[in-house]
Amino acid sequence: MLHSKNIQTGGVTMKKAGIYLAVMLFAMALVAMAGTGMVSAAGSDNTTTTGGNVYYNLPYLHTNPSGVVYCIVANLSSNNVTSASFTVKASSNSNPTQTALTFPSTVSFSAGSSNMLSFTGKYIYVGSTKVADLSTSLGLTSSSDNTTGGSDNTTGGGKGGSKDNSFSIFSNSGSDNSDKVYYGGTLSFASGSSIDCKKIAMSCFQGTTNPKRPIGGYTCEDDSTTGVAGGKNVLSF
């Protein structure tokens, strides 16, 4: 009887081992599928795409020309960016239209290139080329203000918008702050090929002092499958 009991116990043990092995094999298969993008990671909704879009969300921008925000964009990938745009998503002046302002096709973010964006007054420049006028998006008058790309010496400007002398970036002594607002928006890069936040790199700083003042608080999101478990990347800086 004791010998029979031992045999039965051994059978149960082998059965449990078989179940454990099956569960382990199933789990390993799921991990492998997730790594190839066949299974979506929790919280990710774009894991089956090749990744043709990169979005930088910038909460700290303003129209005070004495504190220009500069961003260096480096395309570290082997694929060209085919289009770029900026959309104002929030503003201290009014509810923005949230209309994407597409940059001219003559502006290139090709593979291996590096470009400097300047958020100068009411305009965005890539190098010395004006690529976007934010006047309408910010609810400001679109009159000329003699702004030049990469310059901190802006004069004139249209009226409209909210005046906020309590905010430090608008506290220039003797200046008219009626057309100065702060805002946030999304800088978008699109490609017909795979790009992601790791390959379309960007670093931002403010002012012309030495050393420059780095800007933090912005994020990058893409629709690639190069993130954790084959999901998209969401990075903060």
Side-chain angles (χ1 to χ4, degrees), residues 213-231:
R213 299 185 293 274
I215 292 177
Y218 57 96
T219 63
C220 182
E221 182 175 351
D222 58 39
D223 57 8
S224 74
T225 58
T226 61
V228 177

Side-chain angles (χ1 to χ4, degrees), residues 1-176:
M1 293 295 293
L2 180 60
H3 178 69
S4 176
K5 183 177 181 180
N6 287 338
I7 293 175
Q8 292 177 2
T9 302
V12 171
T13 301
M14 292 179 63
K15 184 176 181 181
K16 288 182 177 180
I19 294 174
Y20 177 78
L21 178 61
V23 171
M24 288 296 295
L25 291 174
F26 180 73
M28 291 172 65
L30 285 179
V31 171
M33 292 171 65
T36 60
M38 295 174 64
V39 176
S40 298
S44 176
D45 55 2
N46 291 307
T47 57
T48 58
T49 66
T50 57
N53 297 282
V54 171
Y55 310 98
Y56 277 95
N57 300 303
L58 301 161
Y60 175 77
L61 294 168
H62 57 83
T63 59
N64 186 348
S66 66
V68 177
V69 172
Y70 303 93
C71 292
I72 305 297
V73 178
N75 186 345
L76 308 178
S77 76
S78 58
N79 300 313
N80 295 330
V81 169
T82 54
S83 67
S85 64
F86 184 81
T87 306
V88 176
K89 296 288 187 68
S91 169
S92 64
N93 181 39
S94 60
N95 292 327
T97 59
Q98 298 203 9
T99 300
L101 303 174
T102 302
F103 297 173
S105 58
T106 53
V107 175
S108 174
F109 295 92
S110 58
S113 69
S114 183
N115 291 277
M116 184 175 75
L117 278 75
S118 305
F119 294 85
T120 308
K122 298 177 290 186
Y123 305 113
I124 302 175
Y125 289 82
V126 175
S128 60
T129 302
K130 184 189 292 185
V131 297
D133 182 345
L134 305 178
S135 300
T136 301
S137 296
L138 296 173
L140 303 176
T141 308
S142 155
S143 58
S144 174
D145 65 359
N146 302 320
T147 308
T148 57
S151 171
D152 284 339
N153 301 314
T154 305
T155 60
K159 304 302 178 184
S162 70
K163 186 172 183 178
D164 189 352
N165 286 314
S166 65
F167 201 44
S168 61
I169 60 174
F170 299 148
S171 59
N172 293 344
S173 176
S175 66
D176 183 355

